[in-house]
Amino acid sequence: MTNLLNTYIGRISSTARFAVLSMALITLWGCDEELEQFPSNAFAKDNFWTSESNADIALTGAYRGAIEYGTQVVPSDWWTYCGIVFMEFATDNAYDRRGDNSTQNRLTDGTLLPNNNVINGYWTGSYKRIAICNDFLENIGNVDMDQAKIDRMSAEVRFLRAATYFYISQFWGSAPLVTTTLTPDEANNVDKVSKAELVSFVISELQAAAADLPSFAELSGTEAGRASKQAALAFLGRMYLGEKNFVEASKVYKEIIDMGENIIDPDYASLFTPANEASSENIFSTQYFGGQAGNALPQHAYPAVSSGWHIVNPLGSLADAYGFDDGTPLSYDDPRFDYDDMGANRDPRFRYNLLWDGSSFGDKIYDCHPDHTESLDQLTYSKQATRTGYGLRKFFDESFSGNLQSDYGGNIPIVRYAEVLLSYLEAELEAGNPITQALLDETINKVRGRASVGLPPITETDPATLRPILRNERRIELALEGQRLWDIFRWDIGDEVLVGDFWGAPFPNSTLYPTTSKKIDPQSRWYVTTKNFRAGTDDIWPIPESEVNVNPKLGN
């Protein structure tokens, strides 16, 4: 049996098993205790769709999809921490400590092949969620429950399925469009449809889901993590942006803005920690629960001094994209730049998102200087430590002291209101509409002007000059949130930003640098890697080889 076959044939027995064997991604009416009452084989297809409580369990399974808990190095779903944060390894934002042979790195370094296990993970996870959603939509009408609840649940699942097809359309283009459960023969002989057909399906499904979903403000506290009208509209806006339909994208994003239910939170750093993850800036997030369905990103990304594996290594190109705190671009020659404290005088988001040599992390000092041979975090090519001279701070409550693999409960944002505002400005700009100061103040200046960031307002209204400013703002605001690769693809800039040598932090006074860095840079930046992105090849993923071997039609 193939992955594709198993994915499609899973149906309700696997839907129930996903929900019963693990805790839910979302809190569905306090159903955790109910989930624990049943063994994994308690539900057969013929008697499952008989009660509202079982429908709740099935909905939980649809939200979870293929998400796995604990540590993982290959994504099982778009919305795992691995699927979101590790996606950045394929960009100019971050590097995978596991080295150039990392299959995330191979997505964009010119060596991508159809047997890449990362694209296989996203593919298999996508169709697993789609199979669960299809089964749900085929059977929810059989449950004796209030029609309004059926309509809302159906809208949620249509949103989940459409969001999955959004990713498929953007990364693969042509792929199977499956909207019903399939027999084994059907699964092994499924045809691809065009990208245009996938896009049309996603748009119609998201429009229908948005019409029936409650707005963000209507979600109760016990419904954290459930889809809202704004979440569906945000993905609809992404679909229009991805297809360069800027007029429609602008309308959708303006609809979210005009609803007036989301904010730019004054405290940027806290948006990514349990303390403030319920902020109305976070429109839709992957939900984690410490000790039950924990977020293992701390184990993967904490520095070595804090017992982490330091997998996530921000690149110097991202670090340098954060300018000075007066809004001017970074320059190593500027007297405000301090090699001994690279966070000084910088855009505050540099300090909120990254670690650098000599910075604090909790009650520890992050010491990654290449000369400090006794430090666990010494910058080398061999230690379980940084490969760039930078580390990850974003997403972490630095006071956390539990098990790094299972006890952390911090969510991972999927859609933030900051993205909505920046996307609205982009849609207006690319649609050719006039850029006014009022529009800038309503969008980009709200994002960069939040109290904890406080950068001066943008006043540039010339579209050609504003475009790189806006794109950089999007990059540094949404850094490491899994959006950069999609942005690179849709802007067609892979051959500009993913070609050549990549560097880390500068260490001009290091005595070991000249003999240990694999390449020497005039600015004494640590050499990290070299990429050779192939435009027209690496921006369209191949369907996994294992699937094509069983169904050659997928390779056509």
Side-chain angles (χ1 to χ4, degrees):
M1 286 191 175
T2 70
N3 289 336
L4 186 60
L5 172 62
N6 288 333
T7 295
Y8 288 152
I9 302 306
R11 311 252 274 275
I12 193 57
S13 59
S14 61
T15 299
R17 187 160 59 251
F18 284 133
V20 173
L21 289 180
S22 67
M23 304 309 295
L25 262 180
I26 56 172
T27 304
L28 284 176
W29 311 285
C31 67
D32 289 348
E33 292 182 2
E34 182 175 351
L35 293 182
E36 293 173 350
Q37 294 173 13
F38 300 102
S40 62
N41 62 353
F43 304 109
K45 184 173 179 63
D46 291 340
N47 63 22
F48 181 82
W49 297 97
T50 56
S51 68
E52 183 174 334
S53 59
N54 282 2
D56 290 345
I57 291 172
L59 181 61
T60 298
Y63 270 97
R64 180 178 180 184
I67 291 176
E68 298 175 0
Y69 300 113
T71 57
Q72 57 175 200
V73 293
V74 174
S76 61
D77 191 279
W78 299 98
W79 293 340
T80 63
Y81 76 83
C82 181
I84 293 172
V85 180
F86 288 12
M87 175 76 85
E88 301 280 303
F89 296 154
T91 77
D92 51 352
N93 277 355
Y95 183 71
D96 185 343
R97 179 186 57 74
R98 292 169 292 175
D100 287 352
N101 287 327
S102 157
T103 44
Q104 272 98 348
N105 185 65
R106 287 183 176 274
L107 293 176
T108 53
D109 72 349
T111 64
L112 175 63
L113 294 172
N115 63 358
N116 185 284
N117 63 355
V118 174
I119 63 172
N120 184 70
Y122 284 122
W123 176 275
T124 303
S126 294
Y127 283 100
K128 184 177 290 186
R129 186 189 295 277
I130 288 166
I132 295 170
C133 291
N134 288 342
D135 182 83
F136 185 99
L137 293 169
E138 290 173 354
N139 290 282
I140 186 62
N142 298 326
V143 180
D144 184 14
M145 57 188 290
D146 184 78
Q147 186 62 44
K149 291 183 179 179
I150 292 176
D151 292 344
R152 178 183 177 185
M153 287 184 176
S154 297
E156 290 176 82
V157 174
R158 291 177 78 176
F159 159 74
L160 295 169
R161 184 177 64 177
T164 304
Y165 275 119
F166 159 79
Y167 292 112
I168 292 172
S169 74
Q170 298 300 285
F171 288 93
W172 280 285
S174 177
L177 175 59
V178 181
T179 58
T180 62
T181 52
L182 302 177
T183 67
D185 285 343
E186 289 170 335
N188 286 334
N189 290 280
V190 66
D191 290 302
K192 294 191 296 184
V193 302
S194 67
K195 180 181 181 181
E197 290 175 270
L198 289 177
V199 169
S200 178
F201 176 79
V202 170
I203 290 173
S204 63
E205 287 291 287
L206 289 174
Q207 288 172 335
D212 287 339
L213 285 170
S215 72
F216 184 89
E218 293 173 326
L219 297 178
S220 68
T222 60
E223 295 175 328
R226 295 182 70 175
S228 65
K229 189 181 300 292
Q230 285 91 332
L233 291 173
F235 267 89
L236 181 58
R238 286 183 181 179
M239 188 77 266
Y240 284 132
L241 273 189
E243 296 308 299
K244 296 180 170 52
N245 189 340
F246 301 116
V247 172
E248 292 302 320
S250 176
K251 292 178 183 177
V252 169
Y253 287 123
K254 189 63 163 62
E255 183 176 351
I256 297 174
I257 294 168
D258 288 346
M259 292 171 74
E261 296 180 359
N262 299 101
I263 65 167
I264 292 299
D265 198 287
D267 189 354
Y268 178 86
S270 69
L271 289 169
F272 311 99
T273 71
N276 195 31
E277 63 189 13
S279 168
S280 59
E281 180 168 340
N282 290 330
I283 293 175
F284 189 64
S285 303
T286 301
Q287 306 287 298
Y288 287 100
F289 300 92
Q292 298 177 2
N295 178 354
L297 183 60
Q299 180 63 81
H300 262 126
Y302 266 27
V305 71
S306 298
S307 303
W309 296 338
H310 212 309
I311 289 286
V312 183
N313 300 263
L315 283 163
S317 58
L318 171 62
D320 293 353
Y322 292 94
F324 291 113
D325 53 14
D326 66 352
T328 56
L330 181 74
S331 170
Y332 292 173
D333 297 326
D334 192 295
R336 291 172 296 177
F337 182 78
D338 186 349
Y339 285 100
D340 295 323
D341 181 7
M342 286 184 282
N345 306 312
R346 301 289 291 278
D347 180 329
R349 289 169 295 186
F350 175 92
R351 300 193 294 272
Y352 300 146
N353 291 338
L354 308 182
L355 299 173
W356 63 94
D357 183 51
S359 62
S360 62
F361 185 76
D363 59 356
K364 305 287 198 306
I365 297 297
Y366 182 65
D367 179 2
C368 69
H369 198 286
D371 291 356
H372 295 179
T373 58
E374 301 301 315
S375 173
L376 293 174
D377 285 296
Q378 179 200 12
L379 174 57
T380 67
Y381 295 108
S382 58
K383 286 187 175 182
Q384 188 170 290
T386 183
R387 293 290 185 273
T388 66
Y390 295 109
L392 180 66
R393 188 191 303 276
K394 195 174 195 174
F395 306 114
F396 299 138
D397 173 2
E398 296 176 37
S399 67
F400 172 71
S401 60
N403 184 288
L404 297 184
Q405 295 189 30
S406 59
D407 290 347
Y408 191 63
N411 295 340
I412 303 290
I414 297 168
V415 177
R416 290 197 288 120
Y417 190 56
E419 177 198 340
V420 170
L421 295 186
L422 295 176
S423 296
Y424 175 55
L425 178 57
E426 178 181 344
E428 285 284 285
L429 185 154
E430 301 300 350
N433 294 331
I435 303 300
T436 65
Q437 189 62 49
L439 176 61
L440 294 173
D441 292 342
E442 183 184 13
T443 55
I444 190 172
N445 289 334
K446 274 192 176 180
V447 173
R448 61 193 277 116
R450 71 172 89 222
S452 59
V453 175
L455 293 180
I458 299 295
T459 58
E460 182 58 64
T461 58
D462 174 68
T465 308
L466 177 61
R467 184 176 292 108
I469 295 172
L470 173 57
R471 290 184 176 185
N472 190 70
E473 186 68 27
R474 183 179 178 94
R475 181 185 186 186
I476 61 180
E477 170 69 23
L478 304 177
L480 304 159
E481 295 178 46
Q483 301 243 30
R484 178 64 176 170
L485 187 60
W486 178 60
D487 285 346
I488 289 172
F489 284 1
R490 68 189 181 85
W491 292 334
D492 297 319
I493 59 171
D495 55 353
E496 300 173 27
V497 302
L498 296 177
V499 173
D501 294 336
F502 285 81
W503 305 89
F507 292 94
N509 298 319
S510 168
T511 58
L512 292 181
Y513 172 81
T515 58
T516 53
S517 181
K518 292 181 179 180
K519 290 187 179 183
I520 303 303
D521 172 54
Q523 295 175 308
S524 299
R525 297 174 299 173
W526 188 266
Y527 171 76
V528 180
T529 191
T530 299
K531 286 182 177 288
N532 186 28
F533 180 87
R534 299 166 296 179
T537 298
D538 292 337
D539 45 9
I540 304 171
W541 288 354
I543 290 177
E545 183 178 70
S546 59
E547 304 294 352
V548 177
N549 286 342
V550 173
N551 181 3
K553 290 190 292 185
L554 297 179
N556 295 333

